[in-house]
Amino acid sequence: MVARGDLGIELSPVEVPICQKLIISECNKQKKPVIVATQMLESMIYEPIPTRAEASDVANAIIDGADAVMLSGETSVGKFATEAVQTMSKIARETESSVFYKFNKDFEMSEDMALTRQAIVFGADKMLKYVNAKAVLSFSHFGYSTRLMSKLKPSVPIILVSDMEETCRKMSLVWGVYSFRKKWGGILDQNLLLRIDEFLINEVGLKKGDYVVITASAPNLITGRTNFVRVHKIGT
């Protein structure tokens, strides 16, 4: 959490922007979620639109690679709470559609993390463009491999399927991840693939014939360590 209010107590205000960038950069290198907070749209506590400086602040945090940007007083005591959320969402969408936002990042393998899972996730990321996949389908108990995938900033949604409600809630703060709680254990057989297809079409909004890249574990789809990647065509 990059809480600029707390940083402002410890540092001079002129040092906070560079410190923020350094923290975001290091969190991304360590594959950890990072949230930027405090006074992002402060003027919207009393006004229906933000200042241009505030809009730029949100956009720069997103370009730097923050997983999430956070409101506080704007939504807890502000007069325009709904508008503040809508405005921040619009800034994020506009920023991520610009030429300045970089998708498909390439990180070095880290010896401090599980090498097998890193290899699976990095391989899955490369597969996305080769098959023109519409999403990554990540089965994960704790969300570890899903977080790794998120840090690569794939240009398609990351669909997390977990059997843990806590994991689904936590992963809502991770960039690009849409969480669903499902009790899908066992092996990835034809019956389960049919259920996955129904889920992708009816709940995610994909279409028959779309490709997805699946990362999961075997023999237990969710509860083991991620150890395989599969290209799947919906409906076949």
Side-chain angles (χ1 to χ4, degrees):
M1 169 75 77
V2 185
R4 281 91 59 84
D6 295 329
L7 282 176
I9 294 173
E10 302 294 331
L11 303 173
S12 163
V14 300
E15 297 177 284
V16 170
I18 300 303
C19 184
Q20 171 179 315
K21 288 179 179 290
L22 290 172
I23 294 172
I24 293 174
S25 176
E26 187 60 30
C27 285
N28 285 330
K29 288 179 182 178
Q30 298 294 329
K31 314 297 190 298
K32 295 182 180 295
V34 54
I35 304 164
V36 177
T38 314
Q39 297 179 326
M40 299 216 81
L41 299 176
E42 184 83 358
S43 66
M44 291 194 73
I45 293 177
Y46 304 106
E47 301 294 337
I49 60 173
T51 67
R52 276 57 177 174
E54 289 169 340
S56 296
D57 178 39
V58 174
N60 279 313
I62 293 168
I63 290 171
D64 287 342
D67 284 87
V69 284
M70 179 178 165
L71 298 168
S72 48
E74 300 92 331
T75 49
S76 61
V77 298
K79 295 181 179 180
F80 300 96
T82 301
E83 290 83 351
V85 174
Q86 292 172 340
T87 298
M88 182 167 274
S89 177
K90 289 177 182 177
I91 295 169
R93 293 176 186 276
E94 188 72 20
T95 301
E96 290 186 354
S97 66
S98 75
V99 297
F100 298 102
Y101 195 80
K102 304 301 181 185
F103 290 98
N104 304 312
K105 296 189 175 182
D106 193 13
F107 285 103
E108 295 292 331
M109 295 279 283
S110 173
E111 295 183 358
D112 298 329
M113 301 174 188
L115 294 179
T116 300
R117 278 182 278 187
Q118 287 185 82
I120 292 293
V121 168
F122 287 11
D125 183 63
K126 299 298 183 186
M127 290 179 183
L128 292 171
K129 63 180 180 180
Y130 295 135
V131 299
N132 192 28
K134 302 302 182 184
V136 179
L137 181 57
S138 176
F139 291 92
S140 183
H141 186 63
F142 293 114
Y144 182 89
S145 59
T146 312
R147 291 200 305 271
L148 291 181
M149 177 60 73
S150 171
K151 288 303 177 183
L152 296 173
K153 294 291 192 293
S155 54
V156 299
I158 303 169
I159 310 302
L160 167 68
V161 174
S162 177
D163 59 340
M164 290 186 63
E165 184 70 29
E166 181 180 0
T167 297
C168 291
R169 290 199 304 268
K170 287 181 177 178
M171 295 301 291
S172 295
L173 293 172
V174 176
W175 182 92
V177 175
Y178 300 86
S179 301
F180 295 84
R181 183 170 179 262
K182 301 287 183 181
K183 292 287 187 178
W184 285 345
I187 61 173
L188 190 63
D189 57 13
Q190 191 60 36
N191 288 331
L192 185 51
L193 282 173
L194 289 174
R195 294 172 65 189
I196 289 173
D197 284 351
E198 291 177 359
F199 160 71
L200 291 173
I201 293 171
N202 298 328
E203 297 186 52
V204 177
L206 298 182
K207 300 176 181 178
K208 184 177 180 180
D210 285 343
Y211 284 96
V212 296
V213 175
I214 300 173
T215 62
S217 63
N220 295 314
L221 192 65
I222 294 177
T223 54
R225 295 191 174 189
T226 300
N227 58 14
F228 81 83
V229 58
R230 170 177 177 148
V231 175
H232 174 62
K233 186 177 182 181
I234 300 174
T236 61

